[in-house]
Amino acid sequence: MKDFKQQYGPWALITGASSGIGKEFAKQLAQKGIHLILVARRQELLNALADELEGHYGIRVKTIKADLLQPNFIDHIKEETAHLDIGLLINNAGLWKMGEYFDIALEEELDMIDLNIKAPAILTHHFGKHLIQRGEGGIINLGSLLAYVSVPYSSVYGATKAYELSKGESLQYELAKKGVDVLTVNPGLTATEMTDSFDFSHMPSDLMQPEEVAKVALKSIGKKSQVIPGFSNKVLGFLAKRVMSRNANTKLFGTLMGKANQKRKSRDNTSEQRITKQQLNTNIS
C-alpha cells in the first residue's frame, strides 16, 4: 500500500493558500514532504509562507499570484505548472457574504458563484485530467456544513457549497475506478479571515481551528467522499441529514444566522454613526 507522499505527491496545488485553512493545508503537506504550489492574491504572504516551509521542511515551494475571479486566470496557472507533476489539487479559495438576499449586491453574489463554483470547476477540469492520466492522486474540495441545509442570510453561499458537495460525491464515484480520490470536507464555522468580522458567540459550539480542518481532510482522503470535521459539527450534520426536516433545518439555521446578521447590522450602523459624527465634528472645527 502506497504512503501519502507516493499517492498524492510529488506536488500539491492549493488555492487560497495565503491564510486560514489553505495555509494549514500547506503546513501539513510540507510536513509530509510534498512540494507545494501556493496560489493566492497576496504575493507577500505567499512569499513569507514559502520561505518558512522551505526552511523548516526542505521542500520546494512555488508561489503563483492569481485572482481566481479574473477571466482566463487558468492560463497563467497552466503556464506556471506545465512542467510539474501535480498529484493533489486542493480547491480551498472561497468567498462568503452574509446578509439578507436583496441587501447583498448582485455583483457580490455573482463573485461568490464564480469563486466557489466556477473556479473549482475550471481547476478540476484541467488538473483532474492529468490525475486520470497518472492513474493516481486526489482532489480536495472545501465545502461547508451549510451544504446540507438551506441557509437564510447566507443563501447564495450555502447553495454554492451544496453544489460542491453534490459534485464532489459524484466525482468520487466516477474517478475512484481510475485511481483518483475525491473528498469534500465540510467544516462548520472556522476561525479564519472569512469569519473574524462576525460575532458567533451565540452559536451552539465554538469556531473550529484551521489546523483541525486540514488534519481531518488529509486523514480522510481516499477513505471517504465527504467528511464533517469536529464532534459538534458532526452532530449538527447528523441531525440535518437524518432527523430534522428541511423546513425545521431552515428555521433552525435561519434563527442562528439571523442573530449573527443582526449583530453585524448593529455593528455596521454603530460604525457609520461614529464616522458621521467624526465628519460632523471635523466640519464644525
Side-chain angles (χ1 to χ4, degrees), residues 62 77-86 126-127 130:
K62 182 176 183 60
I77 294 177
K78 284 181 180 179
E79 181 180 352
E80 292 293 317
T81 60
H83 61 293
L84 301 176
D85 184 14
I86 296 172
H126 175 65
F127 291 106
H130 170 69

Side-chain angles (χ1 to χ4, degrees), residues 57-276:
Y57 302 106
I59 61 165
R60 295 168 59 193
V61 180
K62 182 176 183 60
T63 65
I64 301 176
K65 181 180 180 180
D67 184 348
L68 305 189
L69 289 175
Q70 293 300 311
N72 303 319
F73 75 84
I74 191 64
D75 293 340
H76 178 51
I77 294 177
K78 284 181 180 179
E79 181 180 352
E80 292 293 317
T81 60
H83 61 293
L84 301 176
D85 184 14
I86 296 172
L88 181 63
L89 168 65
I90 302 182
N91 288 311
N92 169 76
L95 179 63
W96 175 38
K97 294 289 183 179
M98 180 194 291
E100 295 181 35
Y101 182 83
F102 290 104
D103 286 345
I104 299 175
L106 176 60
E107 291 77 11
E108 293 180 319
E109 292 180 354
L110 295 177
D111 282 348
M112 274 191 281
I113 293 170
D114 284 349
L115 189 56
N116 297 354
I117 294 179
K118 184 177 179 180
I122 292 170
L123 289 158
T124 298
H125 262 270
H126 175 65
F127 291 106
K129 292 176 181 178
H130 170 69
L131 296 175
I132 291 172
Q133 290 176 348
R134 296 173 85 241
E136 62 183 3
I139 300 170
I140 297 177
N141 297 313
L142 257 291
S144 170
L145 182 63
L146 302 185
Y148 298 100
V149 296
S150 298
V151 194
Y153 310 105
S154 292
S155 56
V156 174
Y157 176 81
T160 64
K161 294 305 181 179
Y163 177 96
E164 283 302 298
L165 174 59
S166 178
K167 183 186 76 175
E169 289 180 307
S170 300
L171 283 180
Q172 167 59 19
Y173 181 88
E174 292 182 25
L175 299 186
K177 63 191 73 174
K178 300 179 181 180
V180 180
D181 301 316
V182 181
L183 173 73
T184 305
V185 56
N186 298 293
L189 294 169
T190 305
T192 66
E193 291 179 350
M194 191 180 291
T195 60
D196 63 9
S197 60
F198 300 109
D199 181 356
F200 293 114
S201 58
H202 62 281
M203 290 295 188
S205 61
D206 295 333
L207 272 64
M208 288 200 70
Q209 294 303 310
E211 299 94 320
E212 184 62 20
V213 176
K215 181 179 179 180
V216 170
L218 296 179
K219 184 178 180 180
S220 300
I221 188 170
K223 302 173 184 175
K224 302 178 180 180
S225 64
Q226 55 90 18
V227 65
I228 300 174
F231 176 77
S232 59
N233 292 325
K234 281 183 168 63
V235 172
L236 283 173
F238 176 81
L239 292 174
K241 293 184 291 182
R242 306 294 184 187
V243 178
M244 299 173 67
S245 68
R246 288 191 65 84
N247 185 52
N249 275 309
T250 301
K251 289 181 178 179
L252 172 61
F253 280 86
T255 298
L256 295 173
M257 299 304 288
K259 288 182 179 179
N261 185 56
Q262 192 59 44
K263 291 179 181 179
R264 177 194 62 82
K265 292 175 68 174
S266 177
R267 179 204 63 201
D268 291 348
N269 289 337
T270 301
S271 298
E272 289 176 6
Q273 291 171 1
R274 184 181 301 113
I275 292 172
T276 301

